[in-house]
Amino acid sequence: MRRRLGRRGRKGFVLIKCLSLSVCIMLYFQLVIMAGTVMLAYYFEYTDTFSVHVQGFFCYDTTYTKPYLGPEDSSAIPPVLLYALVAGLPTLLITITETVLFLVQYTSKEFDRSEKTVATGDCCYLNPLVRRTFRFLGVYTFGLFTVDIFVNAGQVVTGNLAPYFLTVCKPNYTALGCLQALRYISHQEACTGNQDDILRARKTFPSKEAALSVYAALYLAMYVTCTVRAKGTRLAKPVLSLGLMCLAFLTGLNRVAEYRNHWSDVIAGFIIGTAIATFLVVCVVHNFKGKLLLSEESPTEQRPNTAMLNLGRMESPLEKYIASQNHIAFAEVT
């Protein structure tokens, strides 16, 4: 009997070790992907590793002669405000919602404190509240950097001109020969204005502000709709979701009203943000759905009257481990 129990115990511990190792490998692999995404976004945003395509223009083209209303900081929705809302609002809302939901389920059942932690392998031990919160916020952060990469890649490849491009370009039409005939200017030396403003005016398609705002709004709207199931929120959830989407739409509208983007730039940004948010919510976090915090059935109900048939058999440590884990089924998010 001891020999049989020892063999089963060794097999059980080997299986548990293998599962723990696979979980740790997947966790480290995800961290590597996240780090690579952040680095790629950094190179797009703050370095000149990727040169912007130089798109030409026609002399006196009225499409690009709109007034220049100043740098981005002077906009009605400056980048500091937009980035603060895009980063801070989802973090605050998801953290508060997950904490409230966990406390409601935590107090609804009585169980030992030693069973209120879920193990994710030998690498770490996480409370289910921390696990779910970091999962949702991690996916959201990954989506933010992904949107930034897609937008910057589109701006670098296309080099689409802003509506105020000729205002900051300040071309010398006489030297370019535009007085004799309508010409197409394709060389970068045609502009005599500030080089930073000219470079910024060549990176408008798609609109980064529109993409980030609609991504954050849609992700939060789907989170609130799929996660909050409390009574009395049947009207509150649509109002909150529509309010978030309205703010994203107003952000894109402001970009067009201030002549910083064309309508095509804003629409392309909306499409990119919507596509990435939908993909992450549906395919990665599966509409924020998971198992119940506590199983509805008691341990005696989960194990029917088969105990009488197994009186002569001793349980292995692996079977005891699985039985103790079946007592509490914490929320798993895939």
Side-chain angles (χ1 to χ4, degrees), residues 107-140:
T107 57
S108 62
K109 299 281 185 177
E110 293 182 358
F111 54 102
D112 296 335
R113 292 185 178 272
S114 60
E115 295 176 332
K116 291 173 185 173
T117 5
V118 59
T120 57
D122 289 339
C123 53
C124 54
Y125 293 88
L126 295 179
N127 183 279
L129 168 64
V130 179
R131 180 187 176 94
R132 284 175 56 90
T133 304
F134 270 85
R135 178 66 171 175
F136 296 152
L137 290 179
V139 172
Y140 175 78

Side-chain angles (χ1 to χ4, degrees), residues 177-190:
C178 294
L179 298 179
Q180 290 78 16
L182 184 64
R183 299 185 58 182
Y184 181 77
I185 311 301
S186 58
H187 53 277
Q188 189 172 0
E189 292 76 11

Side-chain angles (χ1 to χ4, degrees), residues 277-287 334:
T278 304
F279 171 76
L280 292 179
V281 170
V282 175
C283 300
V284 178
V285 295
H286 304 289
N287 296 320
T334 57

